[in-house]
Amino acid sequence: MAEANQTVWTRKDLIGIADLSRGEIELVLDTAPQFVAVSQRASGIKKVPLLQGRLVVTWFHEPSTRTRSSFELAAKRLSADTLAIASSTSSSVKGETLHDTLANIEAMRADIIVLRHGCAGAPHLLAAGHASHIVNAGDGRHEHPTQALLDCFTMRDSLRRRLGNPEASLDGLKVAIVGDVEHSRVARSDIHALKKLGAEVVLCGPSTLIPRGVEQMGVTVTHKLREALADADVVYSLRIQLERQAKALFPSLREYIKLFRIDAETLKFAPDHAIVMHPGPINRDLELSTEVADGPRSVILQQVTNGVAIRMAVMHLLANSAAARA
Amino acid sequence: MDRQAMAATVRSMALAIADANPEVGSLVLLGILRRGRPLADRLAALIGEVTGTTPPVGSLSTTMYRDDVRAGGAVPAHKGHTHFDFNVDGRTVLLVDDVLAAGRTIRAAMDEVMDYGRPRRIQLACLVDRGGRELPIQADYLGYSIATGPGEWVYVRLNELDGEDAVLLQCGGEPVEPEQEGA
């Protein structure tokens, strides 16, 4: 059995991976397995009473099915009450400020507020002035911390199974992130987390979709898929945001498919043990072929399953830590 | 208590359990992590020797059911997970722990077991009862009883985890292994 992580959780909020230490990231990853076990109970009740009587509000200003339902399910499995607020139904459309809306939510005695917002920095702005625990569920192009945590957990779990070593860490793991890095808050959070955990990160995509100067984050960049996938333990495909294609950031979808799609042929560039990941939703046959997305090396659905456990761990640590209350 | 004394105590507990549960086939043991699990393994093996039927054993981590966590106590450390591959419905569940004190761990354990099903009955076996109960809970099978006062702590050390079998009493000072004091 792994030794207990000595890190103590002291944060009121989870805003970004950039703020976290390696110990804090590992504390979340080490806390999650007990919540995986809760969700996997073959018989009995898939719930624990850790947030019994608490109110978790999911407040989403952008469309989301996967992340919001994952947080809601996580809250319910912790026995919390949940309240969903969508931007289309909130008073923000009537001109109410974020602070005022949050003050009203807090007046209903919300304990945890899970916020998704199109503007980078919105969760940070709110966390500073309010007592509720704020969890960033994606802010603009900035960060999506729980996605990065579930990604790292899935990579570590897969690595540990493959090696048969329950102590294996991500140190030295090579992760190839392929696709639209420029617009991806998932990629940004993943890079922060993977670098802090000692992994090697290679970014691959059209030059218009790789941010300039990203090498300063300690990653390498290539525009050749074959190079990116060589020796990669993890092939992480990002979603092409078709809604942004109006800006013509690459010549054509056909060309993107030819150069950057992960399919059975291109996956041969990677070692046999490499796993395939994607944050979803997938544009099938654009970023990933169906054969690969549904294939034996895909852990995409495990990412979804692990996402619930990671969000349970995060909300538990935020709301139940004595240190966080001090 | 040394190795021989502990072996004799655990054997007499196993005999009492076997005697009180003639339908050994319906008995399952859940060892409360961490030291309850090796104790449960020992008891199951001894019950098997006596009756010819070794009951199945699982592990129970009560960290997510503790009332002090919800009261803002320490976040549970990584001490292993609940794991058992049998159904508790209609069976006799024997909870096994090393030290019985406040009774809050056992209350948490009962809550957790109930989330897995509806046992016919739940029994409790503890190696040491050190007193200081905060809830009306008592062991059905008990090795030793020690009335401890303020500043006195009981530690059980087991060969499987600690390299020796012993029960130690610490008088004065801060507890050096607080994880055993939540019982």
Side-chain angles (χ1 to χ4, degrees), chain B residues 2-3 14 16 20 51 54-55 82 90 94-95 107 122 134 138-139 145-146 155 163 167 173 177:
Chain B
D2 61 10
R3 184 173 62 84
T51 65
T54 303
T82 295
L94 177 67
L95 299 174
R107 185 207 64 83
I122 298 177
E134 295 170 7
Q138 66 179 11
S145 188
I146 308 168
Y155 302 115
V167 176
E177 293 180 45

Side-chain angles (χ1 to χ4, degrees), chain B:
Chain B
M1 186 193 289
D2 61 10
R3 184 173 62 84
Q4 279 147 340
M6 189 186 289
T9 302
V10 173
R11 174 167 285 277
S12 69
M13 289 171 70
L15 290 172
I17 293 163
D19 196 40
N21 292 280
E23 294 174 3
V24 180
S26 74
L27 182 67
V28 296
L29 274 60
L30 284 175
I32 296 174
L33 295 173
R34 296 176 66 198
R35 289 174 178 76
R37 175 59 203 254
L39 277 175
D41 286 329
R42 293 188 196 186
L43 287 169
L46 290 165
I47 292 166
E49 275 181 26
V50 174
T51 65
T53 303
T54 303
V57 181
S59 301
L60 204 63
S61 166
T62 59
T63 51
M64 290 192 282
Y65 286 78
R66 293 193 61 92
D67 51 10
D68 51 356
V69 170
R70 277 177 284 154
V75 171
H78 179 55
K79 290 197 292 184
H81 315 136
T82 295
H83 179 74
F84 54 89
D85 53 10
F86 45 77
N87 195 333
V88 298
D89 284 334
R91 307 185 83 165
T92 297
V93 173
L94 177 67
L95 299 174
V96 181
D97 205 358
D98 55 347
V99 179
L100 176 62
R104 290 181 185 270
T105 296
I106 306 305
R107 185 207 64 83
M110 287 192 288
D111 280 354
E112 183 165 6
V113 169
M114 294 297 195
D115 273 0
Y116 281 90
R118 188 177 185 279
R120 190 160 66 90
R121 70 166 71 95
I122 298 177
Q123 300 178 341
L124 175 62
C126 289
L127 187 64
V128 182
D129 180 350
R130 74 170 185 89
R133 207 77 79 245
E134 295 170 7
L135 297 174
I137 284 170
Q138 66 179 11
D140 299 287
Y141 313 100
L142 186 63
Y144 273 86
S145 188
I146 308 168
T148 55
E152 294 179 330
W153 312 97
V154 173
Y155 302 115
V156 171
R157 297 178 63 79
L158 297 175
N159 193 39
E160 294 89 332
L161 296 171
D162 309 301
E164 63 171 341
D165 281 346
V167 176
L168 307 174
L169 177 66
Q170 178 191 334
C171 299
E174 291 296 309
V176 292
E177 293 180 45
E179 67 178 0
Q180 290 191 52
E181 295 303 319

Side-chain angles (χ1 to χ4, degrees), chain A residues 17-37:
Chain A
I17 299 292
D19 310 329
L20 301 183
S21 67
R22 177 176 181 146
E24 287 172 314
I25 294 169
E26 287 178 336
L27 178 62
V28 178
L29 304 191
D30 291 343
T31 305
Q34 57 190 324
F35 295 115
V36 173

Side-chain angles (χ1 to χ4, degrees), chain A:
Chain A
M1 187 190 303
E3 284 302 306
N5 188 318
Q6 297 302 308
T7 305
V8 175
W9 189 265
T10 58
R11 294 181 185 276
K12 179 177 85 67
D13 313 291
L14 178 63
I15 305 300
I17 299 292
D19 310 329
L20 301 183
S21 67
R22 177 176 181 146
E24 287 172 314
I25 294 169
E26 287 178 336
L27 178 62
V28 178
L29 304 191
D30 291 343
T31 305
Q34 57 190 324
F35 295 115
V36 173
V38 171
S39 297
Q40 285 176 341
R41 283 180 186 173
S43 62
I45 298 167
K46 295 183 182 64
K47 289 177 87 135
V48 289
L50 284 168
L51 290 190
Q52 197 168 50
R54 311 281 186 93
L55 175 60
V56 174
V57 176
T58 54
W59 184 18
F60 277 58
H61 283 254
E62 285 185 338
S64 167
T65 304
R66 192 179 327 253
T67 304
R68 183 160 69 184
S69 52
S70 180
F71 269 108
E72 278 191 20
L73 187 56
K76 289 180 198 299
R77 289 198 171 152
L78 292 169
S79 303
D81 298 316
T82 58
L83 180 66
I85 298 175
S87 59
S88 57
T89 58
S90 80
S91 291
S92 58
V93 295
K94 299 178 185 172
E96 189 175 53
T97 67
L98 274 181
H99 275 299
D100 282 342
T101 310
L102 182 56
N104 280 278
I105 294 171
E106 282 191 320
M108 298 177 209
R109 307 300 301 271
D111 297 284
I112 297 177
I113 294 168
V114 179
L115 177 69
R116 167 166 289 189
H117 203 281
C119 295
H124 184 265
L125 183 75
L126 294 182
H130 294 271
S132 308
H133 301 284
I134 306 286
V135 183
N136 181 3
D139 61 330
R141 296 186 195 178
H142 177 223
E143 282 234 38
H144 193 350
T146 56
Q147 178 72 43
L149 291 166
L150 77 89
D151 287 340
C152 291
F153 182 81
T154 305
M155 288 178 209
R156 194 175 81 169
D157 186 54
S158 170
L159 180 71
R160 288 178 172 184
R161 285 172 197 269
R162 171 159 60 85
L163 299 178
N165 174 9
E167 309 287 322
S169 75
L170 297 189
D171 273 310
L173 199 78
K174 180 178 170 185
V175 181
I177 300 179
V178 181
D180 183 359
V181 179
E182 172 73 25
H183 299 104
S184 176
R185 55 196 171 206
V186 171
R188 212 168 309 277
S189 288
D190 272 339
I191 293 167
H192 282 305
L194 288 166
K195 293 305 296 177
K196 287 181 181 193
L197 295 175
E200 179 190 345
V201 180
V202 180
L203 306 181
C204 180
S207 56
T208 48
L209 297 182
I210 304 289
R212 279 189 199 165
V214 73
E215 292 88 347
Q216 290 172 9
M217 295 179 79
V219 301
T220 54
V221 173
T222 177
H223 305 295
K224 293 179 181 161
L225 191 58
R226 180 189 287 261
E227 274 182 24
L229 301 196
D231 305 323
D233 301 289
V234 178
V235 179
Y236 196 106
S237 174
L238 294 170
R239 192 172 81 89
I240 289 298
Q241 302 188 22
L242 292 171
E243 61 274 21
R244 298 184 198 274
Q245 252 317 92
K247 294 178 185 170
L249 292 167
F250 48 85
S252 70
L253 294 180
R254 181 178 292 186
E255 184 184 284
Y256 184 88
I257 289 168
K258 189 177 171 191
L259 295 175
F260 298 107
R261 182 175 75 174
I262 312 295
D263 55 28
E265 281 306 305
T266 53
L267 197 54
K268 286 178 184 169
F269 300 150
D272 290 342
H273 68 259
I275 56 171
V276 175
M277 301 177 69
H278 192 289
I282 305 170
N283 292 308
R284 279 183 181 264
D285 293 318
L286 173 52
E287 304 116 14
L288 287 176
S289 69
T290 287
E291 184 185 16
V292 169
D294 300 337
R297 294 162 76 173
S298 166
V299 295
I300 294 167
L301 292 178
Q302 276 131 278
Q303 288 174 266
V304 178
T305 302
N306 292 338
V308 176
I310 282 289
R311 285 161 182 140
M312 289 172 78
V314 164
M315 289 193 282
H316 159 58
L317 287 168
L318 288 174
N320 285 325
S321 167
R325 289 167 173 233

